[in-house]
Structures are given as structure tokens and as C-alpha cells.
Amino acid sequence: MTGRLNEKVAVITGAGNGIGRATALRFAEEGAAVVVADIQDDKAHETAEMVNEAGGRAQSIAVDVTSGADNDAMADLALEAFGGLDCLVTAAGISHANYVSGDIEPDIKNIVTSRADYLERPGWEFVEGDPDSFDKVLNVNLKGTLLGMQSCAAKMLESGTQGSIVTVASIAAKHPDAGPVAYTVSKAGVWMLTKKAARMLGPVGIRVNCIGPGFISTHMTAIIDLMDESETDAFNEMIPLGRRGEPIEIANAALFLCSEESSYFTGEILHPDGGFFTE
Ligand SMILES: NC(=O)c1ccc[n+]([C@@H]2O[C@H](COP(=O)([O-])OP(=O)(O)OC[C@H]3O[C@@H](n4cnc5c(N)ncnc54)[C@H](O)[C@@H]3O)[C@@H](O)[C@H]2O)c1
């Protein structure tokens, strides 16, 4: 531990699994006290226990990021438990409307539907896209990000804290093939939301940046492990580094963006993507 976040308090959404969990552990390792927020209460609790057992400081809270009240309670907890709020990382997200982190069945159904049903009917997958599913994904990924930013930025404004906010988009924010319709649109929205917030919060010294990961080994991409070996190889070959990333590699990018080392970064997007965007 080098103490890059000593005396800082960080709030992390989606911290019950994957990228959010890795970020909570990494931030605690660098001295931050962490509020671990997730809709999966048991998983959030588990992450907080992992942090505390490793000698860090964490408290968990059940948060549905689509609820303004939940986001407010999450920000309140940072002040009540740790006396401040310096950093927010918004890692909560879903890849499709029925996505449940850790449950592969809805992913399999989603992929099978889009592949088999529409292969013979080009164009119709777009036309028949379900508007309610679109709303659900936009609500969690985009509105959920906005609400977390608003609740946490309010605390920073009230205390005059020159904090750092890190949103999590995706390569799908810029590449239409990197996810379903609603997911790509939601992540493009997160990227614009980041730039907008950076402009509006810059004058008070709050920095707002974005991470746009490539394919990372979490529940969200577990379906890739079920593909034929040849398909997995073909998948890896389109990534110049030849592999999916690990959650810690995204946590390290978030650490940089929340530390003083990135003090002149705002409104920026970093792509830890193994070189995906070099094509
Ligand atoms: N894994 C990848 O390849 C990848 C690539 C680019 C971007 N991302 C983004 O990174 C973020 C983290 O994803 P991950 O890969 O760690 O997946 P994950 O499924 O492991 O983690 C996502 C977490 O978000 C939580 N969550 C879902 N809906 C929520 C809600 N309404 N309120 C609060 N928490 C909620 C889940 O319970 C889960 O713990 C997501 O925004 C995802 O879109 C992932």
C-alpha cells in the first residue's frame, strides 16, 4: 500500500461484484474508506467484509441506483460513517434488461434470441426491439449514473470538497458492435453525461472522468466462457493484447482518476481495452 487515497472517502456503486468490487478493494488498499453500494445486498456486504478483513475500512449499503432516495442514503452514509465524500465510482450496470449479475441463464436466453431468431430476418431485430427493455437499461445505466452523481456531488458542493467522480461507460459508448442497442446507447449517454458534468462542476474543482473498458472477465462477459474454443479464440484475436481484461485493470484506472496524479484530467475517457480501439 502506498496511500494514494489516504484520508479519502470513496463511494462505489455496483461494488458487490466484478469491476466495482475490485475497485473497492483497490481503493481500500490505498487508504480510502469505502462505501460499498449494490442492489445485491449480500454481495455488497461480502465486499465490505473482504475490505475489512484485509485491514481496510468499509461499510455496505443496499442501493438501487434508479432510486434517488437510495442514492441520497448512500451519500449520507459516507458522511455518517467516515466523515466526508471525496470520490464516486459508478460501476453499477446491466448489459440487457433481464441481466442479473451472477446468473448466466438470462444471458444465454438473450444471446440465443438475438442470434437464432434474427439471423434469417436481417433488420427485424432493430425494428422489434422492446421499448420497455430499452427503458430498463437506460434507467439503470444512464439515469442511475446521473442520480449517483447528483447525490454525491451535492455533498461535495455542501462541504466545498474538490472531489473526483468516475463514471463507467464501455467501448460500447463509441462502437455500435460492442453491445445490444440499449446498452450501447446508454453507455454513449454516460460518456456525454460525464463531459457535461465535467463542464458544470469544473468551476468548483470537482473533476469528472469516465472509464470505457473493453471486454473484462466478470459475470457480464461470463457467456464468452461458454462459447466453442474456436469462437473464444476468434474473440480474443480481435483484441490486440489477445485476452479479456481483469477487473483489477479497471480498478487501477479508477484509482488513477481518483488520485492526485490525475489532477489536470476532467471530461476525459480512458479506454483500458487491450487495444480494441486501435483498429
Ligand atoms: N465486464 C465488461 O466487459 C464491461 C465492459 C465495459 C463496461 N462494463 C461496465 O462496468 C460496470 C460493472 O460491470 P461488471 O462487468 O463488473 O459486471 P457485474 O455484473 O460483475 O457487476 C455489476 C454490478 O452492478 C450491480 N447492479 C446492477 N443493477 C443495479 C442497480 N439497479 N442498482 C445497484 N447496483 C446494481 C450488480 O448487482 C452487480 O454487482 C457496468 O456498468 C458495465 O456495463 C463492463
Side-chain angles (χ1 to χ4, degrees):
M1 164 170 157
T2 54
R4 287 157 73 188
L5 294 180
N6 269 352
E7 290 168 37
K8 301 287 186 197
V9 179
V11 172
I12 302 168
T13 70
N17 290 287
I19 291 168
R21 172 175 281 182
T23 304
L25 288 163
R26 187 72 187 97
F27 276 29
E29 209 174 68
E30 292 292 340
V34 184
V35 172
V36 175
D38 204 287
I39 199 166
Q40 294 186 6
D41 198 11
D42 55 334
K43 290 291 178 182
H45 184 70
E46 210 173 87
T47 302
E49 280 201 330
M50 289 165 81
V51 168
N52 291 325
E53 277 166 18
R57 289 179 303 153
Q59 282 217 13
S60 67
I61 180 168
V63 169
D64 178 349
V65 293
T66 65
S67 152
D70 279 12
N71 278 290
D72 284 346
M74 172 182 84
D76 284 343
L77 179 61
L79 272 86
E80 284 159 22
F82 303 121
L85 201 172
D86 303 281
C87 313
L88 166 69
V89 180
T90 61
I94 56 176
S95 52
H96 55 87
N98 298 320
Y99 178 76
V100 178
S101 186
D103 179 1
I104 197 84
E105 291 305 320
D107 288 10
I108 293 170
K109 277 188 198 138
N110 195 54
I111 298 281
V112 168
T113 307
S114 45
R115 274 201 187 158
D117 287 8
Y118 291 113
L119 224 52
E120 303 300 317
R121 298 193 297 132
W124 286 96
E125 184 175 9
F126 178 76
V127 173
E128 292 175 356
D130 173 25
D132 291 338
S133 297
F134 186 87
D135 282 351
K136 168 101 194 274
V137 176
L138 269 284
N139 207 26
V140 175
N141 290 1
L142 184 51
K143 190 176 171 195
T145 300
L146 169 70
L147 294 177
M149 293 165 83
Q150 286 180 321
S151 297
C152 292
K155 299 295 181 199
M156 292 176 189
L157 289 173
E158 280 162 17
S159 59
T161 302
Q162 300 200 330
S164 173
I165 295 173
V166 177
T167 59
V168 180
S170 164
I171 47 173
K174 295 179 182 170
H175 199 304
D177 289 345
V181 176
Y183 186 76
T184 53
V185 171
S186 73
K187 293 301 186 178
V190 167
W191 172 214
M192 180 51 77
L193 175 65
T194 307
K195 289 194 277 190
K196 192 74 193 166
R199 285 206 178 247
M200 295 176 80
L201 296 172
V204 292
I206 299 173
R207 298 185 299 110
V208 191
N209 291 290
C210 185
I211 302 177
F215 299 97
I216 310 303
S217 294
T218 68
H219 293 313
M220 200 171 273
T221 58
I223 190 100
I224 294 167
D225 300 322
L226 300 182
M227 299 188 314
D228 292 343
E229 203 178 322
S230 62
E231 278 187 295
T232 310
D233 290 349
F235 183 88
N236 287 335
E237 273 164 25
M238 72 176 183
I239 304 167
L241 288 184
R243 62 171 177 87
R244 268 184 287 163
E246 294 302 322
I248 184 66
E249 296 178 290
I250 311 308
N252 281 328
L255 172 62
F256 168 68
L257 290 173
C258 283
S259 76
E260 276 307 299
E261 292 153 30
S262 62
S263 53
Y264 203 48
F265 278 78
T266 199
E268 192 53 85
I269 185 165
L270 300 184
H271 288 295
D273 63 0
F276 182 85
F277 272 137
T278 52
E279 66 182 11

